[in-house]
Amino acid sequence: MNQSVEFHARIQQALDNAQGRQNFRSAMDGFRDKRAAQFPDEHCLCEQRALARTVRGNALRRLPDLLEQLEQNLERNGIRVHWAETPEEANRKVQELLKAQGATRVVKGKSMVTEEIGLNHHLEQNGFEVLESDLGEFIIQLAGETPSHIVVPAVHKNRHEIAALLHRYDPNIPLTDDVDRMTQEARRILREKFEQADAGISGVNFAVAETGTLCLVENEGNGRMCTAVPPLHIAITGIEKVVEKLSDVPHLLRLLPRSATGQPITTYFNMISAPRKPGEQDGPESVHLILLDNGRSRIHADETFRQTLQCIRCGACINHCPVYVQVGGHAYGTTYPGPIGCVLEPQRLGIDQIGTLASACTLCGACGEVCPVGIPLPKLINRIRAESVQGGADSPVRGAGSLRRGPEALVWKLWAGIHARPALYRLTTRLISRMSGLLPNRLGPWTRYRSAPRLATSTLHEWVKQQGYQGE
């Protein structure tokens, strides 16, 4: 089955799930309303976005130098730095660090990068016990699913479905639709795991090159437990998450939670600069950071596509996408859904593998309007589409040109030739207008929900003459 057929099959499955679509609609409407309430002053928002874009753009322009500076300062602070070019290297490095510690039980904070590399599956296949500590991630782990959103991974489930999952995991948990009661039960389970864990794994929101500081943004406190209670902390992040100075972080933090969930600030903001020092009461005995490439250097090499790496993973583009709202995250079949996924995933995995993702866009422009760091997502999606059919060997995207179809290309070539020659254009339109009655009533998927277009019985030039208009 080719990627287009698989994609459309997932879309149809999502459209057939009425409850799932209702869950998405309710959640996304709420996120949009809350975000709008946080930015009442459009002028102020534009200034903040411009500043945040400058911060991210500056970091990406100086990325190689900042990564070296980050490594030096982290190592000086006592945090070991490891580099991984591929998911396999990253997974292997995590496994080696756990084995060296003698760790078998792991708690994880929320991390899209670990989803990207399939870390949970790798560790479980090699005998480690892995528990997601973020409530949303914990829920989908119980369901055996992947996140459907980069900020709220279980947004596709309602409270009744969540209650059934918790009860199945622990029959002592009553079936209830009381959200507070379910949260308390989940907290009880997770706190026991924190105490038993040998290691904690987390993502990173921002890595500050100037000070060698890892910044984590969260709402539940589970991230702080993962990074402070177990004796070993392993942080994993993409190389693009580096920022130059500590003073750059507030500009991004001012926009991140407001754009993501409509909060003025997150409940917890963690800054990790070193392992536990003598005399300190908590903190890990050792901290390691794995910097993952996984195609990011290739993306960085192209000045236009480099803007993709400005993303701070707020999910605002997803929340405002009319396609995502209808089909949800699982329909995309990728780690990152929505508009950012349509741009990032074909670059990361190759157009030949997932290029059809760029067709899941109406080009309404909503994603570009709400992106807090000014990523021109509609422009980049159009570029992906162009690379899909026109790209050659010198394209920065792997698999460029693989979606080009000979018959379709020939049709467009004929179309261009006809429209470039006025006499041929008039002759062609005259012939087509005379044959309008032969047009079929069914035109593939287009007419599944629409009536087939009917051609006029005369050309525009003929109609103008019939109306008695004379040219000057």
Side-chain angles (χ1 to χ4, degrees):
M1 187 180 293
N2 64 40
Q3 59 168 293
S4 179
V5 174
E6 291 177 346
F7 187 30
H8 285 88
R10 291 194 301 268
I11 289 175
Q12 191 59 53
Q13 183 180 9
L15 292 174
D16 291 340
N17 183 354
Q19 182 61 60
R21 294 177 65 190
Q22 181 179 338
N23 296 345
F24 279 114
R25 168 57 69 184
S26 176
M28 297 305 107
D29 286 352
F31 286 142
R32 287 197 296 269
D33 291 343
K34 291 177 181 177
R35 176 195 174 277
Q38 289 295 327
F39 297 114
D41 188 331
E42 185 67 25
H43 178 70
C44 181
L45 172 59
C46 288
E47 290 183 342
Q48 292 177 6
R49 291 179 68 198
L51 186 54
R53 182 175 185 178
T54 299
V55 167
R56 292 299 295 128
N58 175 63
L60 291 174
R61 280 190 296 272
R62 301 190 56 224
L63 186 60
D65 294 335
L66 292 182
L67 287 172
E68 289 185 7
Q69 182 183 4
L70 175 67
E71 180 182 28
Q72 292 170 1
N73 288 327
L74 286 170
E75 293 279 357
R76 184 189 62 196
N77 294 344
I79 297 177
R80 292 293 309 278
V81 177
H82 312 270
W83 300 82
E85 185 174 350
T86 65
E88 292 76 20
E89 288 184 32
N91 288 333
R92 186 167 58 249
K93 177 54 65 176
V94 173
Q95 183 178 343
E96 291 172 357
L97 293 173
L98 293 175
K99 283 188 174 181
Q101 180 77 16
T104 59
R105 292 167 296 189
V106 179
V107 288
K108 283 181 70 266
K110 188 176 181 302
S111 167
M112 289 306 297
V113 169
T114 61
E115 294 288 343
E116 178 183 327
I117 65 178
L119 180 61
N120 285 16
H121 178 72
H122 175 84
L123 293 179
E124 289 168 351
Q125 289 290 99
N126 286 276
F128 295 92
E129 178 188 342
V130 183
L131 182 76
E132 292 286 353
S133 64
D134 173 84
L135 183 56
E137 294 279 358
F138 178 56
I139 290 167
I140 63 169
Q141 185 179 30
L142 295 182
E145 299 175 354
T146 56
S148 60
H149 193 286
I150 64 175
V151 176
V152 276
V155 69
H156 57 292
K157 293 190 177 299
N158 59 34
R159 56 185 177 178
H160 304 292
E161 294 169 314
I162 294 171
L165 285 170
L166 291 172
H167 181 71
R168 189 172 66 191
Y169 175 77
D170 184 351
N172 293 320
I173 299 177
L175 279 170
T176 175
D177 61 358
D178 186 332
V179 175
D180 290 337
R181 177 67 184 276
M182 287 189 284
T183 302
Q184 291 297 327
E185 293 292 348
R187 180 180 297 171
R188 174 182 60 80
I189 295 169
L190 293 173
R191 283 188 176 273
E192 294 175 0
K193 297 295 184 179
F194 287 132
E195 295 175 356
Q196 301 167 2
D198 304 310
I201 297 176
S202 76
V204 176
N205 289 96
F206 313 113
V208 184
E210 176 187 44
T211 58
T213 303
L214 307 179
C215 302
L216 281 72
V217 177
E218 54 155 335
N219 275 317
E220 300 172 17
N222 64 296
R224 184 165 292 182
M225 296 286 278
C226 285
T227 60
V229 177
L232 171 64
H233 171 211
I234 303 173
I236 309 175
T237 188
I239 58 174
E240 80 280 12
K241 291 297 186 70
V242 65
V243 295
E244 182 179 5
K245 300 177 180 178
L246 193 60
S247 59
D248 290 335
V249 174
H251 302 306
L252 302 175
L253 186 60
R254 188 178 294 116
L255 289 169
L256 176 54
R258 294 181 179 184
S259 300
T261 54
Q263 298 171 261
I265 192 66
T266 51
T267 308
Y268 298 91
F269 182 73
N270 308 306
M271 302 172 69
I272 301 169
S273 296
R276 183 192 304 183
K277 297 179 180 178
E280 293 183 338
Q281 298 299 312
D282 59 10
E285 297 168 4
S286 59
V287 181
H288 296 259
L289 172 67
I290 298 176
L291 288 165
L292 176 70
D293 190 311
N294 198 22
R296 288 164 172 81
S297 293
R298 187 175 62 252
I299 297 172
H300 182 268
D302 184 273
E303 289 190 8
T304 299
F305 280 137
R306 182 184 301 171
Q307 297 172 96
T308 309
L309 302 178
Q310 293 175 192
C311 179
I312 58 175
R313 303 292 190 268
C314 69
C317 64
I318 299 175
N319 300 343
H320 289 74
C321 176
V323 176
Y324 178 90
V325 169
Q326 292 298 322
V327 302
H330 290 153
Y332 292 80
T334 53
T335 302
Y336 304 98
I340 187 61
C342 292
V343 173
L344 176 60
E345 297 294 53
Q347 296 182 72
R348 190 173 66 85
L349 302 174
I351 287 175
D352 53 334
Q353 297 297 316
I354 203 68
T356 54
L357 210 63
S359 65
C361 176
T362 64
L363 293 180
C364 65
C367 55
E369 291 178 6
V370 300
C371 177
V373 290
I375 303 174
L377 287 164
K379 176 182 176 181
L380 296 181
I381 291 173
N382 254 341
R383 171 83 183 275
I384 292 291
R385 290 179 174 182
E387 296 288 347
S388 298
V389 296
Q390 298 174 358
D394 58 344
S395 171
V397 188
R398 190 170 65 245
S402 60
L403 299 187
R404 182 181 180 87
R405 292 179 289 184
E408 182 178 343
L410 177 60
V411 168
W412 285 112
K413 190 172 183 178
L414 290 172
W415 182 91
I418 291 171
H419 282 70
R421 298 168 177 82
L424 182 58
Y425 172 81
R426 286 193 292 271
L427 175 62
T428 303
T429 54
R430 182 180 176 85
L431 289 174
I432 291 176
S433 67
R434 300 301 186 268
M435 300 168 61
S436 60
L438 301 178
L439 188 70
N441 292 323
R442 305 292 296 177
L443 297 174
W446 176 260
T447 53
R448 186 179 302 163
Y449 306 107
R450 308 172 183 85
S451 299
R454 308 308 304 176
L455 296 178
T457 57
S458 61
T459 68
L460 176 62
H461 291 87
E462 292 173 332
W463 180 84
V464 168
K465 289 181 179 179
Q466 291 170 4
Q467 298 302 311
Y469 295 113
Q470 301 293 328
E472 295 181 2

